[in-house]
Amino acid sequence: DAGVTQSPTHLIKTRGQHVTLRCSPISGHKSVSWYQQVLGQGPQFIFQYYEKEERGRGNFPDRFSARQFPNYSSELNVNALLLGDSALYLCASSRTSGGHTDTQYFGPGTRLTVL
Amino acid sequence: DAKTTQPTSMDCAEGRAANLPCNHSTISGNEYVYWYRQIHSQGPQYIIHGLKNNETNEMASLIITEDRKSSTLILPHATLRDTAVYYCIVRVGGGGADGLTFGKGTHLIIQP
């Protein structure tokens, strides 16, 4: 089975612009989570979506938003980009939302550079 | 979720067992121990998880102390491809949608 896929692989934007990142979960998985990883740090949780509804949110500003589609794929949107938004954005999928059976499997990430 | 403490870095010779420790002294009874690893610039890879019994899969073994305050991830025969940052995470089971809380992990370097 295919793993989690993300697009694009790399992206360069300028300050103030908007960006959309995309994620397709593993087949059969209904939950998608987004993480931001800045250089030298571990990933930080942004959102979790399950059955098209937001189920959890990390400590990120309202410039960050996401949605999940009927096929369980997801988009992460970031408005008014700042230099500090430069990071690796990771998507993880799981069968359900929460619980020890909710093992999350990560995609390869999208490397966003803001100039 | 409980906080974890891991050494910043470790070395291991190729072919030997790599033993990565993790302290989680404030772990609650319903929190599981998860291990992930991340090879440079790739997405984290799930390795193993457990509650209180030792667990083994094709990648590794997880040994959890009886009081559950610490655990050890064992890679039985380390190869150069095992060089990565290893993250120990504790997470509540049975509910919650707050994501995984990653620390800085242990940078494991396998020496030829």
Side-chain angles (χ1 to χ4, degrees), chain B residues 36-49:
Chain B
Y36 283 79
R37 73 179 182 184
Q38 189 172 26
I39 296 169
H40 183 61
S41 294
Q42 298 181 21
Q45 178 187 23
Y46 166 76
I47 301 173
I48 198 167
H49 76 281

Side-chain angles (χ1 to χ4, degrees), chain A residues 36-93:
Chain A
Q36 179 197 65
Q37 185 175 25
V38 298
L39 199 62
Q41 302 294 321
Q44 299 296 307
F45 172 69
I46 309 175
F47 288 111
Q48 183 180 78
Y49 274 76
Y50 176 66
E51 293 281 14
K52 302 185 291 293
E53 291 187 3
E54 181 183 307
R55 294 299 184 95
R57 184 185 183 111
N59 187 25
F60 279 80
D62 292 343
R63 299 184 297 109
F64 289 77
S65 64
R67 56 179 177 168
Q68 188 176 32
F69 299 100
N71 66 353
Y72 304 110
S73 67
S74 177
E75 285 182 352
L76 174 70
N77 297 284
V78 187
N79 293 323
L81 285 167
L82 304 174
L83 295 179
D85 294 331
S86 295
L88 180 67
Y89 287 85
L90 296 159
C91 172
S93 79

